[in-house]
Each structure stands twice: as structure tokens, then as C-alpha cells.
């Protein structure tokens, strides 16, 4: 039931997003579109409540409950960013607005962009780990909560991997960037 609800929440996210943007830009109803977009966090609240009720009913905590916590953490950290990104693209494509600003391609600006995304991952993993810890405390049986603590490890590994990727975008000086572009254009290895 939890996995089905996670799928429903994910599909619901995209349906509400399409409906909200469609109302905003195609139907020229910006307030109604904004209201629909503001309903998206309710999906995560429903998932959280159903997960808590499932545990309260005596279900053994397993990977499904961990996945629900990670899903909630991710959508809380990246949901608004995703909506804002898609809103910029919809405004450009459907309403003739200016093209959305692209992330920097290289240099210190790109490194800052990647660190900001990594901080979102840290926030999502932190929220997921906190929800998982509340589940561990609620069940209060280390043998039954092993899967929840393993999901905390998963969240930590995701932060670590994304951090390494973010750090790989080292700031380049403009001359380094120009050299890189030239070498790529001419097929020369650096």
C-alpha cells in the first residue's frame, strides 16, 4: 500500500504541476494555477499520515516506510526548485516570456550552483533521516527498525556522493575555461 501511494504521489505531483502550469499560462488563470501548484505539498502530507498510520497499526517497519521518508525528504528539498524551474520554462514556451536563465557552465559560478544543489540534497537527506529516526523511536525495537536505519545510511551516502560530484566542479579562471572550450572544439585532449 505504501509503495502504491508513493507512485500515486509522484504521478499526482506531475499531474498537479501540469494542471497548475496549464491553468496559469494556457487558460490565463494565474491565481487558480498558483492555487493548484500550492496543493502539491498536500501529497507529501497524505503520504506521511498514511505511513504513520501504517506503523501505528502495527506494521513492521520495512523498506517501504524508508522509501516513503526519503521520498518526502527529496520532494521537500527539491519540489519548489523543480516547480520554479518548470514554471520558467512554461512561461517562456507558453506565454512568450523571456528564456529561463541557464545554470553557469563552468567556473566559480558553476561551482556555487552545484554547491547550492548539494545543500538541497543535504536538506532532503536531513529531513528523511529525521523522519526515519522518529520512526525508530516510535517503534522502539532495534531488531524491527534495522531497515529504517539502513535508509538513514542511504541518505548519508547520497549526500556524500552528491558532495563529491559538486566538488568536482572546481572553479576555473576565464583563461582555463577558454582553453577548455578550444580543446573541446578541436577534439584535443587536455
Amino acid at each position: 500500500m505504501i509503495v502504491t501511494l508513493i507512485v500515486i504521489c509522484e504521478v499526482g505531483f506531475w499531474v498537479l504541476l501540469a494542471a497548475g502550469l496549464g491553468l496559469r499560462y494556457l487558460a490565463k488563470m494565474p491565481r487558480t494555477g498558483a492555487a493548484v501548484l500550492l496543493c502539491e505539498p498536500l501529497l507529501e502530507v497524505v503520504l506521511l499520515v498514511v505511513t504513520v498510520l501504517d506503523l501505528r497499526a502495527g506494521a513492521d517497519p520495512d523498506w517501504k516506510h524508508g522509501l516513503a521518508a526519503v521520498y518526502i525528504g527529496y520532494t521537500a528539498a527539491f519540489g519548489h526548485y523543480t516547480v520554479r524551474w518548470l514554471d520558467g520554462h512554461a512561461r517562456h514556451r507558453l506565454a512568450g516570456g523571456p528564456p529561463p536563465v541557464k545554470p553557469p557552465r563552468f567556473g566559480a559560478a558553476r561551482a556555487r550552483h552545484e554547491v547550492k544543489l548539494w545543500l538541497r540534497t543535504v536538506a532532503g537527506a536531513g529531513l528523511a533521516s529525521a523522519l526515519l529516526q522518529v520512526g525508530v523511536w516510535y517503534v522502539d525495537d532495534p531488531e524491527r527498525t534495522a531497515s529504517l536505519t539502513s535508509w538513514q545510511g542511504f541518505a548519508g551516502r547520497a549526500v556524500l556522493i552528491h558532495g563529491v560530484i559538486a566538488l568536482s566542479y572546481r572553479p576555473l579562471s576565464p583563461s582555463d575555461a577558454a582553453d577548455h572550450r578550444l580543446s573541446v572544439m578541436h577534439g584535443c585532449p587536455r
Side-chain angles (χ1 to χ4, degrees):
M1 178 173 94
I2 299 292
V3 174
T4 304
L5 187 56
I6 292 170
V7 171
I8 290 170
C9 285
E10 182 65 15
V11 170
F13 173 83
W14 292 105
V15 167
L16 285 174
L17 185 58
L21 295 176
L23 286 168
R24 181 178 265 188
Y25 296 113
L26 295 176
K28 308 289 189 228
M29 301 169 65
R31 285 187 177 182
T32 306
V36 169
L37 292 173
L38 288 173
C39 291
E40 288 181 344
L42 295 177
L43 296 169
E44 283 71 41
V45 171
V46 168
L47 179 59
L48 178 63
V49 168
V50 170
T51 303
V52 168
L53 291 176
D54 192 44
L55 287 173
R56 193 174 208 186
D60 279 335
D62 59 11
W63 66 271
K64 296 173 274 204
H65 300 95
L67 180 62
V70 170
Y71 177 81
I72 291 168
Y74 173 82
T75 55
F78 284 94
H80 179 69
Y81 176 82
T82 303
V83 169
R84 194 175 60 220
W85 183 83
L86 285 170
D87 186 55
H89 284 276
R91 186 180 320 111
H92 173 62
R93 300 273 185 194
L94 303 175
V101 177
K102 293 182 179 181
R105 291 183 45 157
F106 50 81
R110 179 60 185 227
R112 278 192 300 278
H113 172 76
E114 292 299 326
V115 167
K116 286 178 185 177
L117 288 178
W118 175 72
L119 289 174
R120 287 184 181 281
T121 301
V122 170
L127 176 59
S129 294
L131 290 172
L132 290 163
Q133 190 59 46
V134 168
V136 167
W137 289 334
Y138 179 75
V139 173
D140 197 29
D141 182 359
E143 288 181 13
R144 291 179 53 214
T145 58
S147 81
L148 298 182
T149 54
S150 74
W151 277 98
Q152 287 175 320
F154 171 81
R157 287 188 300 278
V159 167
L160 181 65
I161 291 167
H162 193 176
V164 168
I165 292 168
L167 289 174
S168 72
Y169 287 91
R170 65 181 174 87
L172 298 173
S173 69
S175 63
D176 287 344
D179 290 345
H180 177 70
R181 276 189 303 233
L182 286 174
S183 67
V184 169
M185 286 187 333
H186 297 293
C188 302
R190 280 198 99 193

